[in-house]
Structure formats: structure tokens, C-alpha cells
């Protein structure tokens, strides 16, 4: 096994486990009816912040050095939207009520974590045994029909619900968000159309293999 393959196997396997842990904690929080942290405990959603920062940094690096064929523009768009939440809201304004909205923020976590568990799990199996079960291939290129809109709605509401706090504390940042928030829709449409095109190509190839 080559060093590149071993590295990517480890990266995708660890990422799958990290997002599985995030999803598990989110399910526990929902069943309890509250998030497991309190405002006076500091920055909320620390584990997700760190995980997303690591993933974003590594994947942009992978794309730049051509370790993987992922388009850089797509990675930037996806990372930009998530980091507005993770850094721009959870880290910069931890007191924002949006960080404590159990159902909206849990919806956001569900959309992100399930997407990443499927994606990293798919890449791990593809590297490990090449022939990925068709069910997982279908899920990898179909789950986004539901998960992407869910993420868009929850991310937008989270930013909107934080705006009054940002406007009082960070006026300059509030102006940035006024510019950034309308970009969610065109960015979403770009990613959504990209995934639809990928789905057509991949599923067509998979069906040809079955013939």
C-alpha cells in the first residue's frame, strides 16, 4: 500500500469517526431537550469548530497539491459557508441566541454530520476495497437532495438570529454579513448543480457496470 493511499485512508477514516461522534452527541442533546454546554462554560460547539477547521484546512491543501481531484472553488464555497457559522458566530459571538437554538442548530449539525459521514465513509471504502456497495454510492450522490437544503435553511436562520448581537458588538462585521448572507443562495445553487451533475455521471457509470 502506497504512502498516499495509507494517508488518505487514515484521514477519511478518522474524519468519519469524528463526525459520527458529533452526530451521536447531537442525538443525545436532542433527546435531553438541551445542548450539553452552558454559556458560562465558554465557546459553544468547540468540538465541531475544531473538526471543521481541520477538515477545511486539510481538504483545501489536498486540492492545492493535487492529492485529490476535488475542485478548489467547490471546497472554498463549502468551507466559507460553514466557517461563517463556526468562527463568525460560535467563536466570535458565543453569547448569540442562535448557538442555543436546539432545533435549528441541531438541524444544521444533522445536515453537516450525516453529509460528512456518508462522504468520508464512501471515500474510505473506495480506497480500501475499490468496489463500493451500490447502496452507499447511491446515498453518497442522492442524500444531498435533502441534506443541502436543510443545511441552507438552518445556516441562514442561524446567521439571521445572530445579527442583532453582531450589530451591537461588531458593526463592521455586521456589514460583512449583510454582504455575505445573500451569497448563500447562489453558492448553494452552484454546489447543488455540481452535485446533480456528479450524480448523473457516477450513477450512469455504476449502472453500466451492473449490465
Amino acid at each position: 500500500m502506497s504512502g498516499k493511499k495509507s494517508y488518505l485512508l487514515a484521514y477519511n477514516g478518522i474524519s468519519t469517526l469524528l463526525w459520527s461522534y458529533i452526530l451521536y452527541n447531537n442525538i443525545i442533546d436532542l433527546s435531553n431537550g438541551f445542548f450539553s454546554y452552558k454559556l458560562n462554560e465558554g465557546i459553544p460547539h468547540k468540538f465541531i469548530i475544531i473538526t471543521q477547521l481541520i477538515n477545511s484546512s486539510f481538504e483545501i491543501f489536498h486540492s492545492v497539491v493535487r492529492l485529490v481531484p476535488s475542485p478548489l472553488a467547490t471546497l472554498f464555497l463549502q468551507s466559507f459557508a460553514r466557517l461563517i457559522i463556526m468562527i463568525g458566530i460560535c467563536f466570535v459571538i458565543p453569547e448569540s441566541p442562535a448557538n442555543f437554538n436546539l432545533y435549528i442548530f441541531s438541524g444544521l449539525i444533522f445536515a453537516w454530520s450525516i453529509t460528512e459521514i456518508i462522504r468520508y465513509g464512501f471515500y474510505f471504502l473506495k480506497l480500501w476495497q475499490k468496489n463500493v456497495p451500490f447502496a452507499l454510492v447511491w446515498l453518497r450522490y442522492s442524500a444531498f437532495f435533502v441534506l443541502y437544503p436543510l443545511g441552507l435553511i438552518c445556516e441562514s436562520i442561524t446567521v439571521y438570529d445572530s445579527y442583532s448581537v453582531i450589530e451591537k458588538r461588531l458593526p463592521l462585521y455586521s456589514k460583512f454579513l449583510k454582504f455575505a448572507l445573500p451569497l448563500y443562495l447562489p453558492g448553494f445553487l452552484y454546489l447543488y448543480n455540481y452535485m446533480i451533475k456528479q450524480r448523473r455521471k457516477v450513477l450512469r457509470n455504476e449502472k453500466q457496470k451492473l449490465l
Side-chain angles (χ1 to χ4, degrees):
M1 186 182 293
S2 69
K4 172 184 173 181
K5 185 176 180 180
S6 298
Y7 165 75
L8 288 175
L9 267 171
Y11 173 75
N12 286 293
I14 291 169
S15 296
T16 304
L17 292 175
L18 290 173
W19 284 102
S20 297
Y21 178 72
I22 289 168
L23 177 61
Y24 169 77
N25 280 337
N26 195 44
I27 292 170
I28 296 297
D29 287 339
L30 270 176
S31 66
N32 291 334
F34 58 87
F35 283 122
S36 56
Y37 63 85
K38 296 178 182 178
L39 178 60
N40 58 10
E41 292 176 353
I43 298 166
H45 307 293
K46 281 183 184 177
F47 192 82
I48 310 175
I49 294 172
I50 294 168
T51 301
Q52 185 58 54
L53 277 172
I54 291 171
N55 281 156
S56 296
S57 301
F58 272 73
E59 291 190 12
I60 288 171
F61 171 74
H62 293 166
S63 180
V64 169
V65 300
R66 310 301 293 171
L67 197 61
V68 295
S70 302
L72 194 57
T74 302
L75 291 175
F76 268 126
L77 273 175
Q78 193 171 43
S79 296
F80 176 74
R82 292 189 180 189
L83 292 179
I84 282 181
I85 305 293
M86 294 290 94
I87 302 299
I89 293 176
C90 296
F91 184 78
V92 175
I93 46 168
E95 73 274 23
S96 169
N99 292 320
F100 302 89
N101 189 323
L102 180 65
Y103 297 106
I104 296 300
F105 212 97
S106 288
L108 181 152
I109 296 171
F110 268 113
W112 289 4
S113 58
I114 294 172
T115 296
E116 300 299 39
I117 291 166
I118 293 170
R119 184 166 71 95
Y120 288 121
F122 170 82
Y123 288 134
F124 178 85
L125 281 179
K126 192 174 181 180
L127 285 163
W128 181 259
Q129 61 186 31
K130 291 187 179 179
N131 294 320
V132 180
F134 179 77
L136 182 56
V137 176
W138 184 88
L139 200 58
R140 165 73 180 100
Y141 292 98
S142 301
F144 76 92
F145 279 120
V146 174
L147 296 175
Y148 277 25
L150 175 62
L152 172 72
I153 292 167
C154 292
E155 288 169 27
S156 300
I157 293 174
T158 298
V159 173
Y160 181 79
D161 285 350
S162 303
Y163 191 76
S164 59
V165 179
I166 297 168
E167 198 170 27
K168 291 177 183 176
R169 274 193 50 197
L170 303 163
L172 189 61
Y173 182 46
S174 71
K175 291 178 182 178
F176 165 75
L177 282 182
K178 274 185 179 179
F179 168 77
L181 192 56
L183 296 179
Y184 262 71
L185 187 55
F188 166 79
L189 291 175
Y190 174 86
L191 291 172
Y192 209 65
N193 285 329
Y194 172 78
M195 286 302 297
I196 289 172
K197 290 175 184 176
Q198 288 293 101
R199 182 179 190 274
R200 287 173 185 159
K201 182 172 69 175
V202 171
L203 294 188
R204 182 172 60 246
N205 291 339
E206 288 296 316
K207 287 176 182 177
Q208 287 174 354
K209 289 179 185 178
L210 297 173
L211 295 177

